Amino acid sequence: MDQNEVLFDRAQESIPGGVNSPVRAFRSVGGAPRFIEKALGPHMFDIEGKRYIDYIGSWGPMILGHNNPKVIEAVKHAVDNGLSFGAPTKAEVLIAEEIKKLIPTIEEVRLVSSGTEAGMSAIRLARGYTGRNKIVKFEGCYHGHSDSLLVKGGSGQLTFGTPSSAGVPEAVTNDTIVLEYNNPQMIRELFDKQGDEIACVIVEAVAGNMNMVPATQEFLNAMREETAKHGAVLIVDEVMTGFRVALGGAQSVYGIDPDITMFGKVIGGGMPVAAFGGKRDIMNCVAPLGAVYQAGTLSGNPVAVACGLATLEEIKAPDFYKRLSAQAAKLVRGLGEAAKKHGVQFSAQSMGGMFGIYFRGSCPTSFKEVMECDGERFKTFFHAMLDNGVYLAPSIYEAGFVSITHDDSVIARTLEAADKAFAEVKRVHG
Ligand SMILES: *Cc1c(COP(=O)(O)O)cnc(C)c1O
């Protein structure tokens, strides 16, 4: 029997669902997840020794590919000096300065250990700064699993938060307003009515947790204008897009000026580093300067920060994003051609090192359109790709990631697998 299946059965005896984060369990595509033993460059190897081309990249962080030698060296060096001090280090100052250099809208930044913490802290800060309670998020956007943000809302309606997880009291989500993504009109109407009660708007400028859906410029402009007009805080969640779609993040692509930005994923290079930062007068409300409490035993952990710093150093290489974008573009173009050859309805797009694939005639622009993607065809495609050595995210609601080590030969091998996989989709589903 396949060792992955054996271990998955065993895992389910002692870990809920066998995994430590739900989407890893393959529930929406079926089958056993691969248990990874090691990874190198664009490849992961499972416990059977089978090699896969990796398009998950640890869900975003591994932009340099796995085991980048400079990053590993920096981490080993940090380990030699001790694992954690609970006192400030020079590396924390260096990474804060580096973030400020790369993202000009950041004046001060605080490190945390996960994107969830960054989101939770940013919301608390926005509420503390404005003295208001209501927060606005968009359907299909994910900002970590803190209670007040675990609301996706009903389609098409301006909904007052119904929690989308058990265990979240309605009292906590009553102040969470959910609007449609890419619908600027809804933002304007809401702010006309109750702009002065709103603490913040939080958004993924390129949504990456309902597959990939880029915002329109008009949508982002509307929320920037309305929040500024009504004294609300604009939080741009760049946990996924930061240092991923461009060196300056999605905000540099759209030319948007957030009050607060959240980071995670790439900023830690595969270790637990995340951050929230922005305008000085807002950030100065955080303890110990201000009244908004926020803390963490392992925040700014020296080993994790060394990993993040070394990663940021590498992505500043000249032409890094040009090369990365070119590989992602080659991938999505090739996939589109292969689908067409086999007569499968399909679309795909990329931005920087992030991409979306959709079993649908055109790229979706809203949550509703994402929901129209064909999950059954995806399932067949996913397993055919996996059998042919390509590890895609096991869900139609996830974006994909390319690393700088996905060179032409890796893309070519992916497209050979895709040719077989689309043929299989056609054979099974017609
Ligand atoms: C991954 C993600 C988060 C949550 O980060 P964790 O480190 O998993 O807690 C928040 N926002 C966005 C946009 C993300 O993609």
Side-chain angles (χ1 to χ4, degrees):
M1 202 174 158
D2 182 296
Q3 288 307 303
N4 292 290
E5 287 167 20
V6 173
L7 199 52
F8 192 40
D9 283 344
R10 185 171 146 197
Q12 291 175 71
E13 294 298 316
S14 41
I15 304 172
V19 292
N20 282 310
S21 197
V23 74
R24 295 178 198 169
F26 274 34
R27 290 300 277 262
S28 71
V29 291
R34 302 304 185 259
F35 284 72
I36 304 302
E37 191 163 76
K38 60 179 182 180
L40 186 63
H43 296 120
M44 294 202 294
F45 299 83
D46 73 9
I47 51 171
E48 294 248 311
K50 184 171 172 183
R51 186 179 77 168
Y52 301 90
I53 300 172
D54 178 20
Y55 286 103
I56 301 181
S58 188
W59 302 95
M62 309 316 295
I63 198 165
L64 303 178
H66 295 282
N67 279 359
N68 176 283
K70 295 223 177 89
V71 174
I72 297 299
E73 177 64 34
V75 169
K76 284 183 175 162
H77 185 257
V79 167
D80 283 341
N81 286 331
L83 295 179
S84 181
F85 315 124
T89 61
K90 185 175 176 189
E92 290 166 84
V93 181
L94 294 180
I95 199 169
E97 290 173 353
E98 192 62 46
I99 294 166
K100 286 175 58 168
K101 250 185 260 164
L102 296 176
I103 315 284
T105 67
I106 306 292
E107 291 173 348
E108 291 187 20
V109 60
R110 174 155 290 177
L111 298 185
V112 292
S113 301
S114 70
T116 294
E117 270 184 87
M120 182 180 77
S121 308
I123 294 289
R124 185 183 305 138
L125 174 57
R127 283 173 161 161
Y129 173 75
T130 58
R132 303 170 182 176
N133 287 338
K134 294 207 182 304
I135 63 175
V136 178
K137 77 176 286 291
F138 299 94
E139 205 177 17
C141 285
Y142 179 66
H143 307 290
H145 63 90
S146 69
D147 285 357
S148 68
L149 291 167
L150 270 185
V151 190
K152 63 169 179 271
S155 59
Q157 290 274 304
L158 185 158
T159 358
F160 284 86
T162 318
S164 46
S165 163
V168 178
E170 261 171 43
V172 176
T173 56
N174 274 341
D175 287 322
T176 305
I177 300 170
V178 182
L179 302 183
E180 274 178 21
Y181 197 75
N182 273 342
N183 186 333
Q185 190 57 32
M186 263 190 162
I187 300 171
R188 304 239 187 243
E189 282 167 14
L190 175 73
F191 272 89
D192 275 351
K193 264 191 273 171
Q194 34 182 345
D196 298 344
E197 296 165 46
I198 293 167
C200 65
V201 174
I202 183 168
V203 69
E204 288 180 78
V206 177
N209 290 284
M210 50 167 158
N211 208 321
M212 173 179 159
V213 181
T216 63
Q217 188 72 49
E218 194 195 354
F219 175 60
L220 295 177
N221 289 352
M223 71 184 77
R224 179 62 286 183
E225 283 165 29
E226 294 297 330
T227 48
K229 193 161 99 189
H230 294 272
V233 174
L234 176 61
I235 303 171
V236 175
D237 180 350
E238 297 235 39
V239 170
M240 184 181 287
T241 54
F243 317 107
R244 169 53 69 180
V245 299
L247 184 57
Q251 57 192 273
S252 73
V253 175
Y254 288 93
I256 193 119
D257 179 22
D259 299 310
I260 299 285
T261 303
M262 293 152 56
F263 301 100
K265 298 193 169 113
V266 171
I267 204 183
M271 292 199 71
V273 182
F276 64 102
K279 305 279 179 267
R280 196 178 298 279
D281 63 324
I282 303 177
M283 291 305 291
N284 282 350
C285 294
V286 174
L289 293 179
V292 176
Y293 193 69
Q294 195 281 328
T297 301
L298 295 179
S299 292
N301 172 268
V303 181
V305 168
C307 185
L309 260 178
T311 301
L312 295 184
E313 197 54 42
E314 294 304 299
I315 62 177
K316 289 190 296 183
D319 285 347
F320 182 92
Y321 286 87
K322 203 172 141 200
R323 279 162 50 217
L324 185 72
S325 305
Q327 295 314 95
K330 267 179 220 163
L331 173 70
V332 298
R333 197 180 327 115
L335 290 174
E337 284 162 8
K340 198 166 164 196
K341 173 181 160 194
H342 292 285
V344 175
Q345 258 213 349
F346 179 85
S347 53
Q349 64 185 335
S350 65
M351 191 186 282
M354 178 174 170
F355 65 91
I357 61 174
Y358 323 93
F359 283 81
R360 186 177 185 281
S362 62
C363 295
T365 58
S366 67
F367 182 67
K368 189 169 145 271
E369 287 181 0
V370 171
M371 299 302 284
E372 292 164 7
C373 292
D374 187 332
E376 290 306 309
R377 281 182 172 76
F378 172 77
K379 208 193 265 190
T380 303
F381 182 74
F382 170 84
H383 279 292
M385 290 296 271
L386 197 62
D387 290 345
N388 284 289
V390 179
Y391 208 133
L392 296 169
S395 162
I396 57 171
Y397 303 119
E398 303 292 344
F401 303 101
V402 166
S403 84
I404 201 71
T405 59
H406 286 69
D407 60 17
D408 284 349
S409 74
V410 171
I411 302 292
R413 273 193 284 124
T414 307
L415 296 178
E416 279 166 32
D419 186 51
K420 294 182 197 147
F422 281 119
E424 180 68 4
V425 170
K426 192 67 190 172
R427 191 186 66 77
V428 175
H429 301 277

